[in-house]
Amino acid sequence: MKIEDFDFDLPEELIAQTPLEDRTSSRLLVLNRNTNEVEHKHFKDMKQYLNKGDCLVLNDTRVLPARLYGVKEDTGAKVEVLLLHQQEKDEWEVLAKPAKKVKVGTTLSFGDGKLRATCTDSLDHGGRIFKFIYDGIFYEVLDELGEMPLPPYIKEQLSEKDRYQTVFAREEGSAAAPTAGLHFTNELLDEIKAMGVTIAFITLHVGLGTFRPVSVDNVDEHEMHAEFYHMSKETAETLTRVKSENGRIISVGTTSTRTLETIARDNGGVFTESSGWTDIFIYPPYTFQAIDGLITNFHLPKSTLIMLVSALVDRDSILNAYNEAVEKRYRFFSFGDAMLII
């Protein structure tokens, strides 16, 4: 398939720049996988489509305030740093800008010396390895000095950091939020549980590669970035039970989907406690082994994410639904409205 097969016209003014005050008040486009029927609801209405015995799977990753602004200790030159992956306890792979100012041995200072970092290695792709020096707990220092690494299509600053976190975020490590989960409140989750629907958690730390555009014409030639995932024994047992009792597994977000499908693929369709790195690329045609439904936001044209949702239904139905969403002025991307495919 060609990348152009997943293109659609999106007016720039439909890209949501700020989150809604009430997380659950976004709109919800419901797409029936069997009939291709489209309904227009609000997110709170998603309860109407859940049954007792179903299971919602949420990604509990927590976004790091991973963007830091510092200065070179020797010259005072300004440098922006973005944390990517933790290597050892205090060593991180980072992107530095401008990278040419940061050579091995360079030391940066952040927050008047509250946090310092020395470059210990330069990587082939332009990244750097930094060893951080600080007093206290690293994540507390980072929370004080760092900014949320919002996607490049969001131009406005957040007034509250927590609005780019899900209410159930707990596992530190993401460079971006699992945005389908942003629509939930603790109250809504309690209401869903009271219906007899199970809530289960997995972890996938979202990397910056999620924003990287597909640069090849032929979809088959695209290489996905790898991201770390973990499924606990408790979640594996829960999902196994739900399947055995003919309940549906409804994934919240493409990150949860990629994790569930990776584990099912690697274990013959069985859920088991596991951790690792996944570079699974889901696009049509694809046979899903793990999920029965999906809650997701609206994705960029020609992105790997719109390819994934197209694999769950079919490309024409997804593009028709997207065009209808554009027509009805839905809000798109991270802070935008949601879609339920069931």
Side-chain angles (χ1 to χ4, degrees):
M1 300 186 85
K2 298 295 184 185
I3 184 64
E4 296 298 330
D5 294 336
F6 298 92
D7 197 12
F8 64 94
D9 184 36
L10 178 67
E12 189 174 347
E13 66 267 19
L14 295 186
I15 300 174
Q17 293 296 314
T18 54
L20 298 177
E21 188 173 339
D22 175 6
R23 289 176 182 262
T24 66
S25 63
S26 64
R27 297 165 74 189
L28 180 71
L29 185 150
V30 183
L31 176 60
N32 186 301
R33 291 174 65 191
N34 298 317
T35 65
N36 290 329
E37 179 187 1
V38 169
E39 296 179 86
H40 300 284
K41 301 284 188 176
H42 285 89
F43 194 78
K44 294 174 186 176
D45 299 327
M46 52 90 63
K47 292 187 297 181
Q48 300 173 11
Y49 301 90
L50 301 177
N51 301 324
K52 183 178 180 180
D54 288 344
C55 179
L56 275 187
V57 183
L58 307 169
N59 183 1
D60 64 2
T61 188
R62 186 169 182 83
V63 186
L64 294 172
R67 180 168 277 118
L68 291 161
Y69 297 94
V71 296
K72 292 178 65 175
E73 288 194 342
D74 55 352
T75 67
K78 294 180 180 180
V79 178
E80 178 184 332
V81 169
L82 187 63
L83 305 184
L84 296 182
H85 301 296
Q86 188 173 18
Q87 305 289 309
E88 300 292 339
K89 180 177 181 293
D90 291 322
E91 288 197 339
W92 287 75
E93 179 186 346
V94 309
L95 291 177
K97 189 168 74 173
K100 64 183 179 182
K101 289 186 178 179
V102 181
K103 305 185 185 308
V104 173
T106 298
T107 297
L108 304 181
S109 174
F110 308 92
D112 295 325
K114 283 186 179 178
L115 181 66
R116 298 171 66 233
T118 298
C119 179
T120 60
D121 198 5
S122 179
L123 306 178
D124 291 341
H125 61 73
R128 301 287 190 270
I129 301 296
F130 274 8
K131 183 173 180 62
F132 285 92
I133 306 149
Y134 54 92
D135 290 326
I137 299 170
F138 179 74
Y139 288 119
E140 290 182 357
V141 177
L142 187 63
D143 194 53
E144 179 184 349
L145 301 179
E147 289 186 3
M148 285 295 178
L150 294 177
Y153 46 76
I154 293 178
K155 310 302 180 188
E156 297 193 21
Q157 289 296 316
L158 273 183
S159 56
E160 298 175 40
K161 284 183 182 179
D162 282 352
R163 289 303 276 112
Y164 195 56
Q165 301 279 18
T166 63
V167 296
F168 44 81
R170 59 189 178 196
E171 299 294 335
E172 301 271 10
S174 266
T179 54
L182 294 176
H183 301 282
F184 288 90
T185 60
N186 288 318
E187 291 77 15
L188 179 58
L189 290 171
D190 287 343
E191 290 170 15
I192 290 169
K193 284 188 277 191
M195 296 168 54
V197 175
T198 303
I199 305 293
F201 295 96
I202 55 87
T203 303
L204 182 134
H205 291 320
V206 188
L208 287 180
T210 194
F211 303 123
R212 190 177 301 143
V214 179
S215 58
V216 295
D217 292 329
N218 191 331
V219 170
D220 295 330
E221 297 171 2
H222 177 68
E223 292 186 13
M224 287 289 286
H225 56 287
E227 296 169 317
F228 178 80
Y229 71 88
H230 172 72
M231 177 185 281
S232 67
K233 181 181 179 183
E234 179 186 3
T235 292
E237 290 175 348
T238 295
L239 297 179
T240 300
R241 174 184 56 76
V242 169
K243 280 287 192 186
S244 70
E245 295 172 356
N246 297 316
R248 298 175 301 172
I249 293 177
I250 298 162
S251 176
V252 177
T254 56
T255 60
S256 298
T257 302
R258 294 179 68 237
T259 304
L260 294 170
E261 291 297 323
T262 295
I263 293 168
R265 177 198 65 184
D266 294 348
N267 296 280
V270 176
F271 296 113
T272 184
E273 178 183 9
S274 54
S275 297
W277 292 81
T278 180
D279 60 359
I280 191 171
F281 182 18
I282 298 174
Y283 62 96
Y286 177 87
T287 302
F288 285 83
Q289 297 185 62
I291 73 167
D292 304 294
L294 171 65
I295 297 170
T296 184
N297 280 19
F298 290 93
H299 305 295
L300 280 74
K302 300 191 284 189
S303 66
T304 58
L305 304 179
I306 195 172
M307 295 176 199
L308 184 153
V309 295
S310 296
L312 187 57
V313 191
D314 64 74
R315 184 182 65 91
D316 289 343
S317 296
I318 288 296
L319 289 180
N320 286 339
Y322 267 56
N323 288 330
E324 192 166 331
V326 169
E327 222 175 274
K328 293 189 177 293
R329 311 294 290 175
Y330 274 67
R331 302 165 79 243
F332 275 67
F333 306 161
S334 297
F335 290 139
D337 295 316
M339 184 179 197
L340 169 62
I341 303 172
I342 200 114

